[in-house]
Structures are given as structure tokens and as C-alpha cells.
Amino acid sequence: IVEPMSIQAIVNTIGVEIHQAAVSGARDLLLTPGNYGLDFLKETALLPEKIPCVKFSNFVGEALDIAVSEGFQTALLVGHIGKLVKLAQGVMNTHSKYADCRTELFALEAMFHGASIEVGQEIYHCLTTDEVTKILKREQIFEPVMDKVTERIDFYMQHRVHGKIKTAAFMFSNVYGILGKTKAADELIQLHKQKGE
């Protein structure tokens, strides 16, 4: 368990990195929870490598707060679905000791989109989001469920920044690749690509 002082030290480090990006003149911020996100960006060449990227660990809420205070115009999150799906329920610290609500939302949305209670229970008891994805694809409801999840992520990110900056999220899995993105994700990816050229 990370002690409070250690938490503050991590948040301070994130703040310093975002501040350095702002001082360098950047107005569009790229954020990722950690190495999975960076590796995914390199492997897929989704964005140019030279774009500065700040790792926020589990502290997505604080990273967004700092992005607003530093005057960024946009913030694009790229991360593993297991982390970012928590945002769809307003959880802004993605460490499992605070909340682990990954499968509950997927189970609920699956049933809202026609899955049986049995399938909902199967999803609820999954240990990983890859298992969840497999079931959603099997039941042919992956896309509508993911659309709803990304819509909720969009809502809670905008709620956190009080609409002051444009935000977007891009989710992937090591097994299935790109899984979902919020409505402004493509626009922000293009923005970063243009600046990275």
C-alpha cells in the first residue's frame, strides 16, 4: 500500500512533468497510466514518438486538474482498458485498493443491451477485461456496450475538468488491440500527429 507521503510525491512528480511540458510551449497534453500505454503507442505508431507524454500512474484525476491549471487546451489519455474503464464510473484514482469496478459496469451495460442475466453474471465474475471483451464479442454486443462505456468516460472526464479543456480517451488491450475511444479521440490524435510531423 502506498503511504500518503508517497502519494503526494507521485502527484508532485506528475505536476512537475506536466509543468515542464507547458513551459516548453505545449498546449496539447498526452497522458498514459504507464509503460503499457507507451509500448502500445510505439508498437502501433499511433502517434509520433517525439510527442511528450506524461505518465500519471493511477492519478488520472490529479493529472487532469494539473492540465487545467497549467493552461492546456486538450488532454488525450491513452491506456489499457482495465485502467480506463474505471473512469466510466467516475473513479479518478485507478488503483485497485480504491475501487475495482471494471466488470460491474460491463455486466450492467451488457444486460441493458439484451444479454441474459446468466451472461451478465458471467461477465461480472470475469477476472480480466480481456475475458469480458471475449464474452461481449461472442454475444455480439461489444460495440454498443463499448460505445456506452466511452460515452460515460467522456462525461466524467469533462465533469472533472469542468469543461475547461477538451478531453478524450483511447483504450486498448494487449490481446484485442484498439477497443474504444471517446468522441474527440480521433480529432486529438490528428492534432498530435500534425504537431509531431
Side-chain angles (χ1 to χ4, degrees), residues 137-154:
K137 286 180 178 286
R138 181 193 76 202
E139 297 294 317
Q140 299 183 332
I141 52 173
F142 174 78
E143 286 187 10
V145 167
M146 192 55 68
D147 285 348
K148 195 65 190 172
V149 167
T150 54
E151 186 184 306
R152 288 173 61 93
I153 289 171
D154 204 24

Side-chain angles (χ1 to χ4, degrees), residues 27-31 46-48 51-52 74-77 185-197:
R27 284 293 162 262
D28 303 292
L29 188 61
L30 179 60
L31 295 165
L46 185 68
L47 292 167
I51 289 174
T74 71
L76 173 63
L77 270 66
D186 286 333
E187 180 190 339
L188 296 197
I189 286 165
Q190 280 306 118
L191 198 66
H192 282 289
K193 278 184 176 174
Q194 286 162 5
K195 296 202 171 180
E197 284 169 1

Side-chain angles (χ1 to χ4, degrees), residues 36-150:
Y36 280 160
L38 291 174
D39 292 345
F40 178 78
L41 288 171
K42 282 177 187 166
E43 285 164 21
T44 58
L46 185 68
L47 292 167
E49 277 191 48
K50 58 187 171 185
I51 289 174
C53 182
V54 175
K55 288 195 272 189
F56 61 79
S57 180
N58 294 299
F59 303 97
V60 61
E62 287 86 347
L64 290 171
D65 294 345
I66 297 163
V68 171
S69 69
E70 289 287 351
F72 281 89
Q73 293 171 350
T74 71
L76 173 63
L77 270 66
V78 178
H80 191 277
I81 188 170
K83 283 251 187 228
L84 296 196
V85 69
K86 296 180 185 184
L87 274 62
Q89 292 187 85
V91 175
M92 290 286 157
N93 183 324
T94 58
H95 195 290
S96 57
K97 80 168 187 172
Y98 293 102
D100 191 6
C101 49
R102 296 168 300 167
T103 58
E104 291 89 336
L105 178 65
F106 280 123
L108 189 63
E109 287 298 341
M111 290 186 288
F112 284 164
H113 287 87
S116 65
I117 289 172
E118 290 74 20
V119 169
Q121 288 173 332
E122 187 183 357
I123 291 169
Y124 178 81
H125 291 293
C126 284
L127 295 177
T128 68
T129 45
D130 285 330
E131 289 175 43
V132 171
T133 301
K134 185 177 180 182
I135 295 166
L136 292 174
K137 286 180 178 286
R138 181 193 76 202
E139 297 294 317
Q140 299 183 332
I141 52 173
F142 174 78
E143 286 187 10
V145 167
M146 192 55 68
D147 285 348
K148 195 65 190 172
V149 167
T150 54

